[in-house]
Amino acid sequence: MWGQQQGMTVLVPYDGSEQAQYALAAAGEKFPDRTLLLLYVLEPYANHTEAGGHSSAGTDEAQERAEQLLAEGVDSLPDGVDVETATRYGRPVHELVRFVEDKAVDQIVMGSHGRDGTERLLLGSVAETVVRRSSVPVTVVRRQPTSSPDRVLIPFDGSQESRRALSHATDQYPGAELTALYVTYPASNLATPDKLSPGSVDTAETAVGAESILDVAKQTAETATAPVTVETTEGDPARSIVSYSDAERVDHIVMGSHGRDGLTRLLLGSVAETVVRRAATSVTVVR
């Protein structure tokens, strides 16, 4: 039975795959004082040799296997981590989104792919769809976590979502080297300051609206515990973000789900999904 949750809860979709294990380890390391909710989704008609559906014995075996994998996941966590498990039956994306609403989940931490890459929970398309539909921040984990990230990239276009992403990054990774990246698309004559901290950024002229993107970034970062470096580049937003991340060996990307105007600026939903799909590092998408 699920208890009454006090404080932040983190959902980890779990199917025992390597990527799901990475996600669970990352959640346990990042949120050791939060409740982790491990969810295994049993997909309907997963046994395609019985096109009409599962036999009762097959369903029981699948449930037992799910419970075994969840137990193994719990055992892999350090002692003292508050963790609860559950199984649900249905389509993964639908059940994950519904679970977030039912259990008042605050964040999702999930692997990028699932068991076998074909038949189990977290196919790449599932991760991307959850990123699109979730009402809470989603972290898609790519690799085994080794420590807190040293270098965090925040794609920034001045939109409310990118402001939230910058605030999230400064709050969650105060000890990391933070870089806000503005992609000009099409190109503009935007100046590049060295640091984003109170009193250290000169106003830059831009054609994207009354508020300077750099002014917005400065205002958002003023409460940061460390300066935020601001850089600019030109080109296709998703491709530029991924290329920058690879070239600069970024450990983590934190980005908004949508961008300025919802149509014309940087972080369209498709951009966030493309970065999730193509980035070599873990990505957190913030609402």
Side-chain angles (χ1 to χ4, degrees):
M1 296 293 293
W2 288 86
Q4 294 296 319
Q5 303 304 321
Q6 304 294 326
M8 182 177 178
T9 58
V10 179
L11 171 62
V12 183
Y14 194 79
D15 66 353
S17 66
E18 183 177 52
Q19 291 291 324
Q21 292 175 38
Y22 292 167
L24 181 56
E29 179 180 322
K30 180 61 181 173
F31 304 106
D33 56 345
R34 308 299 186 181
T35 298
L36 303 187
L37 314 179
L38 273 62
L39 175 66
Y40 190 108
V41 179
L42 292 157
E43 295 188 67
Y45 312 129
N47 182 358
H48 295 289
T49 62
E50 298 183 32
H54 290 301
S55 66
S56 175
T59 301
D60 291 344
E61 289 175 3
Q63 179 70 34
E64 290 175 4
R65 177 59 175 161
E67 292 175 357
Q68 178 185 347
L69 288 171
L70 288 170
E72 292 171 357
V74 172
D75 289 342
S76 72
L77 290 167
D79 292 340
V81 175
D82 185 15
V83 57
E84 299 183 16
T85 64
T87 58
R88 284 201 172 181
Y89 182 80
R91 298 298 181 187
V93 170
H94 298 160
E95 294 307 316
L96 293 178
V97 173
R98 186 177 295 119
F99 194 87
V100 167
E101 298 171 353
D102 291 347
K103 301 300 178 182
V105 168
D106 297 288
Q107 174 142 357
I108 301 172
V109 179
M110 64 190 300
S112 58
H113 294 78
R115 181 177 296 275
D116 300 335
T118 56
E119 63 178 2
R120 283 301 316 140
L121 176 58
L122 300 179
L123 305 186
S125 59
V126 173
E128 293 159 32
T129 306
V130 170
V131 164
R132 186 188 317 130
R133 297 185 182 179
S134 173
S135 59
V136 300
V138 180
T139 296
V140 179
V141 178
R142 288 284 184 189
R143 54 197 179 198
Q144 177 71 42
T146 55
S147 62
S148 296
D150 294 322
R151 308 195 69 188
V152 177
L153 176 67
I154 309 101
F156 194 87
D157 70 345
S159 66
Q160 188 63 41
E161 286 77 7
S162 66
R163 299 187 213 188
R164 292 193 187 104
L166 184 54
S167 294
H168 182 91
T170 58
D171 178 60
Q172 294 294 318
Y173 305 103
E177 179 183 331
L178 305 176
T179 300
L181 178 67
Y182 173 55
V183 181
T184 59
Y185 181 59
S188 67
N189 297 320
L190 185 63
T192 305
D194 290 328
K195 291 286 182 182
L196 246 182
S197 58
S200 68
V201 179
D202 294 329
T203 301
E205 295 283 329
T206 117
V208 299
E211 257 187 329
S212 162
I213 286 178
L214 294 182
D215 285 341
V216 173
K218 176 184 175 182
Q219 293 164 11
T220 307
E222 278 181 344
T223 58
T225 57
V228 178
T229 300
V230 172
E231 296 194 14
T232 64
T233 188
E234 298 180 2
D236 173 77
R239 189 172 301 170
S240 297
I241 293 166
V242 172
S243 295
Y244 184 94
S245 175
D246 291 344
E248 299 298 325
R249 297 185 178 180
V250 167
D251 300 307
H252 199 93
I253 300 172
V254 180
M255 63 190 301
S257 57
H258 294 78
R260 182 178 294 272
D261 301 334
L263 290 173
T264 59
R265 288 302 313 146
L266 174 60
L267 299 178
L268 304 184
S270 60
V271 174
E273 292 163 32
T274 301
V275 172
V276 166
R277 186 186 316 125
R278 295 182 180 177
T281 192
S282 298
V283 180
T284 296
V285 179
V286 177
R287 292 299 185 277

Coordinates of all heavy atoms in Angstrom, one line a residue, residues 9 22 27-28 50 63 73 116-117 124 178 195 198 212 236 261-262 277:
T9 N 8.3 13.8 -3.7 CA 8.3 12.4 -4.2 C 8.9 12.3 -5.6 O 8.6 13.2 -6.4 CB 6.9 11.8 -4.2 OG1 6.0 12.6 -5.0 CG2 6.4 11.7 -2.8
Y22 N 20.5 2.8 -14.1 CA 21.1 4.0 -14.0 C 20.2 5.1 -13.4 O 20.7 5.9 -12.6 CB 21.6 4.5 -15.4 CG 22.7 3.6 -16.1 CD1 22.9 3.8 -17.5 CD2 23.4 2.7 -15.4 CE1 23.9 3.0 -18.1 CE2 24.4 2.0 -16.0 CZ 24.6 2.1 -17.3 OH 25.6 1.4 -17.9
A27 N 18.6 8.7 -9.1 CA 17.6 9.2 -8.2 C 18.0 9.0 -6.7 O 17.8 9.9 -5.9 CB 16.3 8.6 -8.5
G28 N 18.6 7.9 -6.4 CA 19.0 7.6 -5.0 C 20.1 8.5 -4.6 O 20.1 9.0 -3.4
E50 N 0.2 -15.0 -28.2 CA -1.2 -15.1 -27.9 C -1.9 -13.8 -28.2 O -2.1 -12.9 -27.4 CB -1.4 -15.5 -26.4 CG -0.8 -16.8 -26.0 CD -1.0 -17.1 -24.6 OE1 -2.1 -16.7 -24.1 OE2 -0.2 -17.7 -23.9
Q63 N 3.4 -10.6 -13.5 CA 3.3 -9.9 -12.2 C 4.4 -10.3 -11.2 O 5.0 -9.4 -10.6 CB 1.9 -10.1 -11.6 CG 1.7 -9.4 -10.2 CD 1.6 -7.9 -10.4 OE1 1.1 -7.4 -11.4 NE2 2.1 -7.2 -9.4
G73 N 15.5 -3.8 -7.5 CA 15.8 -2.4 -7.5 C 15.9 -1.8 -6.2 O 16.8 -1.0 -5.9
D116 N 15.8 -4.8 -23.6 CA 15.8 -5.3 -24.9 C 15.6 -4.3 -26.0 O 15.8 -4.6 -27.2 CB 14.7 -6.4 -25.1 CG 15.0 -7.6 -24.2 OD1 16.1 -7.8 -23.7 OD2 14.0 -8.3 -23.9
G117 N 15.2 -3.1 -25.7 CA 15.0 -2.0 -26.7 C 13.8 -2.2 -27.5 O 13.6 -1.4 -28.4
G124 N 12.9 4.6 -26.4 CA 13.3 6.0 -26.6 C 12.0 6.8 -26.8 O 11.9 8.0 -26.3
L178 N 28.0 26.4 -14.2 CA 26.7 26.6 -14.9 C 26.9 27.5 -16.1 O 27.5 28.6 -16.0 CB 25.6 27.2 -14.0 CG 25.4 26.5 -12.6 CD1 24.4 27.2 -11.8 CD2 24.9 25.1 -12.9
K195 N 30.4 36.6 -17.4 CA 29.7 36.0 -16.3 C 28.4 36.6 -16.0 O 28.1 37.7 -16.4 CB 30.6 36.3 -15.0 CG 31.9 35.5 -15.0 CD 31.7 34.0 -14.8 CE 33.0 33.3 -14.7 NZ 32.9 31.9 -14.5
P198 N 25.2 39.3 -10.2 CA 24.7 40.7 -9.9 C 25.8 41.7 -10.2 O 26.9 41.7 -9.7 CB 24.3 40.7 -8.4 CG 23.9 39.2 -8.2 CD 24.9 38.4 -9.1
S212 N 15.6 42.4 -22.8 CA 16.8 41.8 -23.2 C 16.9 40.4 -22.7 O 16.7 40.2 -21.5 CB 18.0 42.6 -22.8 OG 19.2 41.8 -22.9
D236 N 20.8 25.8 -35.9 CA 19.6 25.0 -35.5 C 19.7 24.8 -34.0 O 20.7 24.3 -33.5 CB 19.5 23.7 -36.2 CG 18.4 22.8 -35.7 OD1 17.2 23.1 -36.1 OD2 18.7 21.9 -35.0
D261 N 7.2 32.6 -27.2 CA 6.1 32.6 -28.1 C 5.5 31.3 -28.4 O 4.5 31.2 -29.1 CB 6.5 33.3 -29.5 CG 7.0 34.7 -29.3 OD1 6.6 35.3 -28.3 OD2 7.8 35.1 -30.1
G262 N 6.1 30.2 -28.0 CA 5.6 28.9 -28.2 C 5.8 28.4 -29.7 O 5.5 27.3 -30.0
R277 N 16.7 12.9 -27.2 CA 17.0 11.8 -28.0 C 18.4 11.7 -28.4 O 19.0 10.7 -28.5 CB 16.1 11.9 -29.3 CG 16.2 10.6 -30.2 CD 15.5 10.8 -31.5 NE 14.2 11.4 -31.3 CZ 13.8 12.6 -31.9 NH1 14.5 13.2 -32.7 NH2 12.6 13.0 -31.6

